[in-house]
Amino acid sequence: MAVPKVGFVSLGCPKALVDSERILTQLGAEGYLTAPDYAGADLVIVNTCGFIDAAVEESLAAIGEALAENGKVVVTGCLGVRKDLIKGVHPSVLAITGPHDTPGVMQAVHEHLPRPHDPYVDLIPDIGIKLTPRHYAYLKISEGCNHRCTFCIIPSMRGDLVSRPIGEVMQEAENLVRAGVKELLVISQDTSAYGVDVRYRTGFHGGKPIKTNFQQLCKSLGDLGVWVRLHYVYPYPSVDDVIPLMAEGRILPYLDIPFQHASPRILKLMKRPAAAEKVLARIHAWRKACPDITIRSTFIAGFPGETEAEFDELLTFLKEAQLDRVGCFAYSPVEGAKANELPGAVSEEVREERRRRFMELQAGISAKKLKSKMGRTLKVLVDEPGIGRSSADAPEIDGVVRFKGGKVGEFTDVVIERSDQHDLFGRVA
Ligand code: SF4
C-alpha cells in the first residue's frame, strides 16, 4: 500500500512556524510522508494566521487555493478560532482546529487519511522536523499571553500564558545544539513573563534544580555555547537581570522589545505591559552596561485617538532612543480588537502619512547606526554563500552582512567596508 502523503502550507509568525514543525514531526513519527506539491498530496493542511485583516485574507486565499488544487483540506492555526468565517467562505474544508493543537490536527488527519501500517518511526530525528535552515532554530518557551493589549486579538486566539516546563525547553535546546544548530531564537508572545503562570516553580534539568524564570532560562541557554537571541521581550524590571549575560557574551547582545508607542496616554489606551516603566532611562542604562547591545522594536502609528502632539512625542522618543532596528505599522483595525471602539479614529490617510514620517526619521538613525560599524570586524553566521548575519541581525526581520565567500552554517569574521540603510558590506577577514 502506498504511504499516504500530506501537503503542508505554513503561514504566519515564528510561533505558527513552530506549530507547523510540531505537526510535521508528528506526521513523520506516524509514518506519513510530506508532499512537495498539491498534486502529489492525499490531503493538505493549511496553518493559518489571523493577526491582521491582510493575514486573514491571505489565509482564506491559501485555503481556497489548496481546495482548488487538491480538494482535501484541514485548516489549523490562529484563523481556526474563527470557524464560522472559514466555513462561510470555504464550506468544503474537512476540519478546522485552532492554534497549537497538534492532537486536533492529527485526529482530523486520521479520520480522512488513515494512518500508514508500517510507520518509519525511528527515522525521525530527536529534534523533530524543522522548517528553518539547519544552523538556526526557533525555541518556543510558552504559549498564549496574560495581557490584553487593546489592538491585539492573540489572547482570544491563543489563550492565557502557559509556560513550557524549563526541563523540557532545555532538553529541546540541547537536542538542537547536538544536531548542529548554532543559533537559538527564543520566542513566545511574552518572553520576559516566562514562568509567571507556574509561579516560577523549580524544574529539573540534567538532574539539577532550576527555576522556571526568564533569567535562569537565559543563563542556562547561555551555557550551551551557541548564539541565543531573545525575541518579544517587554521592558519589565527582570530584563535588567539578563543584560549582564549579554555584556559577558553568554547570550547575544540583542533585544527584540516591542514598545509600540511612547506617549503615556496612548500606551495606557493600548493597555501595554510595562507601560509605566521609564523606557528611555532603561535603554540608556542597558547601553551603559552593554555598549554593543542591538535594540529592535516595533511601533504603531495612528492608533485611535492619537493626536499630532502625541505622534510628535513618539518622534521625539525615536530621536532620543536611537534604536538600531525599527518596524512601524499604520494602525490596522483588526476585527474583534477593543481599540476599534475607542473614540477619535485616525483616518487611513493620516495613519499612513504618520507611518511614512516615522520611517523616514528612523531610516536616518538606522543608516547612521550601521555606518558606525565601518572598519569593525564582525563575527557572522553564514546563511547563504556571501550572506551572513551578525549578532545585530535576526533572520527574516533585520538586515544582513554581504561579502564574498563563506561556508553556509559556519561562523566567519567579516571586515565591514560599506553600509546602506539596511545592510552591511565587507570582506572575509
Ligand atoms: S503582549 Fe499584547 S500584543 Fe503581545 S500578544 Fe499579548 S496582548 Fe497581544
Side-chain angles (χ1 to χ4, degrees):
M1 184 190 146
V3 180
K5 289 197 182 115
V6 178
F8 207 99
V9 180
S10 184
L11 304 170
C13 63
K15 284 150 280 193
L17 185 85
V18 171
D19 287 351
S20 294
E21 290 173 343
R22 291 206 181 132
I23 296 165
L24 284 167
T25 299
Q26 189 57 34
L27 285 166
E30 293 188 12
Y32 290 92
L33 292 178
T34 41
D37 50 30
Y38 292 122
D42 300 303
L43 175 150
V44 177
I45 299 170
V46 182
N47 188 4
T48 58
C49 174
F51 187 45
I52 56 172
D53 291 349
V56 172
E57 273 163 36
E58 190 192 2
S59 295
L60 288 173
I63 298 167
E65 186 182 286
L67 280 170
E69 299 283 332
N70 182 279
K72 286 179 90 177
V73 176
V74 171
V75 176
T76 183
C78 281
L79 190 62
V81 293
R82 294 172 68 186
K83 274 199 172 112
D84 293 346
L85 172 75
I86 299 172
K87 278 277 180 199
V89 183
H90 299 300
S92 60
V93 293
L94 299 176
I96 301 172
T97 82
H100 56 94
D101 185 11
T102 305
V105 174
M106 292 313 297
Q107 196 183 331
V109 172
H110 294 155
E111 235 166 80
H112 299 282
L113 190 63
R115 267 172 103 123
H117 283 308
D118 182 20
Y120 291 99
V121 175
D122 298 336
L123 292 183
I124 299 303
D126 61 357
I127 60 164
I129 289 169
K130 293 281 153 200
L131 295 171
T132 44
R134 206 168 159 259
H135 57 277
Y136 68 81
Y138 293 102
L139 183 67
K140 184 144 86 167
I141 59 168
S142 59
E143 296 282 3
C145 178
N146 285 348
H147 301 291
R148 295 295 180 262
C149 299
T150 52
F151 56 81
C152 176
I153 54 168
I154 285 177
S156 67
M157 295 192 284
R158 294 195 166 236
D160 281 341
L161 179 82
V162 179
S163 299
R164 290 179 65 201
I166 191 155
E168 193 182 304
V169 172
M170 285 307 302
Q171 189 58 56
E172 182 177 339
E174 273 185 6
N175 291 348
L176 288 165
V177 172
R178 215 176 307 124
V181 164
K182 306 251 172 60
E183 177 179 8
L184 293 167
L185 301 122
V186 178
I187 57 165
S188 69
Q189 311 296 342
D190 183 358
T191 295
S192 31
Y194 179 61
V196 169
D197 54 315
V198 293
R199 296 171 188 227
Y200 310 115
R201 81 170 155 230
T202 302
F204 286 89
H205 172 59
K208 293 199 189 108
I210 171 172
K211 285 248 184 235
T212 310
N213 72 30
F214 177 52
Q215 204 258 358
Q216 283 291 304
L217 176 74
C218 292
K219 193 165 168 289
S220 304
L221 290 174
D223 288 341
L224 297 179
V226 295
W227 277 7
V228 175
R229 194 184 293 280
L230 303 179
H231 287 279
Y232 313 105
V233 174
Y234 288 105
Y236 298 117
S238 63
V239 177
D240 298 352
D241 299 338
V242 303
I243 305 295
L245 297 174
M246 296 184 180
E248 289 162 20
R250 293 164 71 103
I251 61 173
L252 288 181
Y254 182 98
L255 268 184
D256 171 12
I257 187 157
F259 294 122
Q260 307 299 15
H261 214 282
S263 148
R265 192 186 77 93
I266 297 291
L267 285 168
K268 221 165 148 200
L269 287 177
M270 287 178 166
K271 291 210 176 147
R272 288 298 287 164
E277 297 295 332
K278 305 225 170 326
V279 168
L280 267 182
R282 303 280 298 289
I283 292 175
H284 292 318
W286 295 338
R287 288 226 171 95
K288 204 165 163 215
C290 181
D292 236 4
I293 194 168
T294 297
I295 304 176
R296 136 168 285 278
S297 192
T298 48
F299 293 86
I300 295 174
F303 187 77
E306 182 191 67
T307 62
E308 193 56 36
E310 284 161 341
F311 178 65
D312 275 344
E313 220 175 311
L314 177 55
L315 295 185
T316 305
F317 169 86
L318 206 58
K319 279 184 219 152
E320 288 183 21
Q322 295 286 306
L323 303 174
D324 300 81
R325 310 268 188 200
V326 171
C328 182
F329 300 95
Y331 175 72
S332 164
V334 178
E335 202 186 313
K338 284 262 181 295
N340 300 336
E341 295 157 23
L342 291 170
V346 179
S347 74
E348 201 180 333
E349 208 188 330
V350 175
R351 278 185 258 153
E352 193 42 53
E353 188 258 345
R354 287 184 186 166
R355 189 197 69 83
R356 195 183 42 72
R357 276 161 61 200
F358 179 105
M359 287 315 284
E360 256 172 38
L361 172 62
Q362 180 60 35
I365 297 170
S366 295
K368 202 174 83 199
K369 286 249 153 188
L370 287 176
K371 209 169 173 187
S372 72
K373 300 193 180 182
M374 292 254 290
R376 282 182 63 183
T377 300
L378 300 181
K379 181 176 176 181
V380 308
L381 182 53
V382 183
D383 282 339
E384 290 172 40
I387 300 181
R389 291 175 296 105
S390 71
S391 67
D393 316 310
E396 310 283 338
I397 51 175
D398 292 329
V400 294
V401 181
R402 295 178 188 274
F403 54 96
K404 279 213 172 71
K407 197 163 163 238
V408 174
E410 301 290 332
F411 288 106
T412 191
D413 287 338
V414 176
V415 182
I416 304 305
E417 299 174 321
R418 194 162 65 79
S419 66
D420 63 16
Q421 268 175 31
H422 300 283
D423 299 333
L424 294 171
F425 302 82
R427 62 179 157 77
V428 172

